Amino acid sequence: VQLQASGGGLVQAGGSLRLTCAVSGRTFRSYGWFRQAPGKEREFVAALNYGNNRKYYGDSVKGRFTISKDRAKNTFDLEMNSLKPEDTSVYYCAAGDPILSYVSASTGYRHWGQGTLVTVSS
């Protein structure tokens, strides 16, 4: 199983970016995005249940970020709008089979991408 994240970069506050995670291997129950800023713990951003397409978001990104999947391309994306300087972080994609109570926990995911840096300037 391999996950490859892409799409990070530098953007001004208020701008948008789209991250993509390409997944090879098998299909998982859930796909998620987490982020980690220097000196901080890894933070849940968003997750998607592959079977029923149910989506989950961290409080700090609700209404601004959208997670989606592309079955044909075997990828899942994170559309990030109205970006703020505090969104600056390394973003990681993840795949796993967490039970519902662990869908927002990093421990619920076994497979991780390499991370992509998002920098939001003020």
Side-chain angles (χ1 to χ4, degrees):
V1 176
Q2 286 189 330
L3 283 76
Q4 181 73 38
S6 61
L10 174 64
V11 64
Q12 287 189 332
S16 299
L17 276 176
R18 188 179 189 91
L19 305 182
T20 296
C21 186
V23 183
S24 62
R26 69 172 183 91
T27 300
F28 293 89
R29 179 182 300 156
S30 294
Y31 297 88
W33 289 95
F34 291 77
R35 66 187 183 187
Q36 188 166 18
K40 294 187 177 182
E41 293 186 354
R42 190 162 294 191
E43 177 189 9
F44 169 71
V45 176
L48 179 150
N49 182 292
Y50 190 83
N52 60 24
N53 207 35
R54 191 164 294 177
K55 302 174 183 180
Y56 309 87
Y57 296 96
D59 289 341
S60 61
V61 307
K62 282 181 182 176
R64 300 189 297 124
F65 291 11
T66 302
I67 189 170
S68 61
K69 65 185 179 188
D70 187 324
R71 289 179 182 259
K73 295 180 180 178
N74 207 23
T75 61
F76 64 104
D77 293 352
L78 184 70
E79 180 72 27
M80 305 184 294
N81 298 314
S82 302
L83 283 161
K84 305 175 182 180
E86 51 264 43
D87 293 318
T88 295
S89 194
V90 177
Y91 284 71
Y92 298 89
C93 58
D97 301 303
I99 58 175
L100 182 58
S101 57
Y102 279 83
V103 74
S104 61
S106 59
T107 52
Y109 298 83
R110 183 175 180 181
H111 304 280
W112 293 83
Q114 84 286 5
T116 185
L117 177 62
V118 172
T119 303
V120 184
S121 63
S122 58

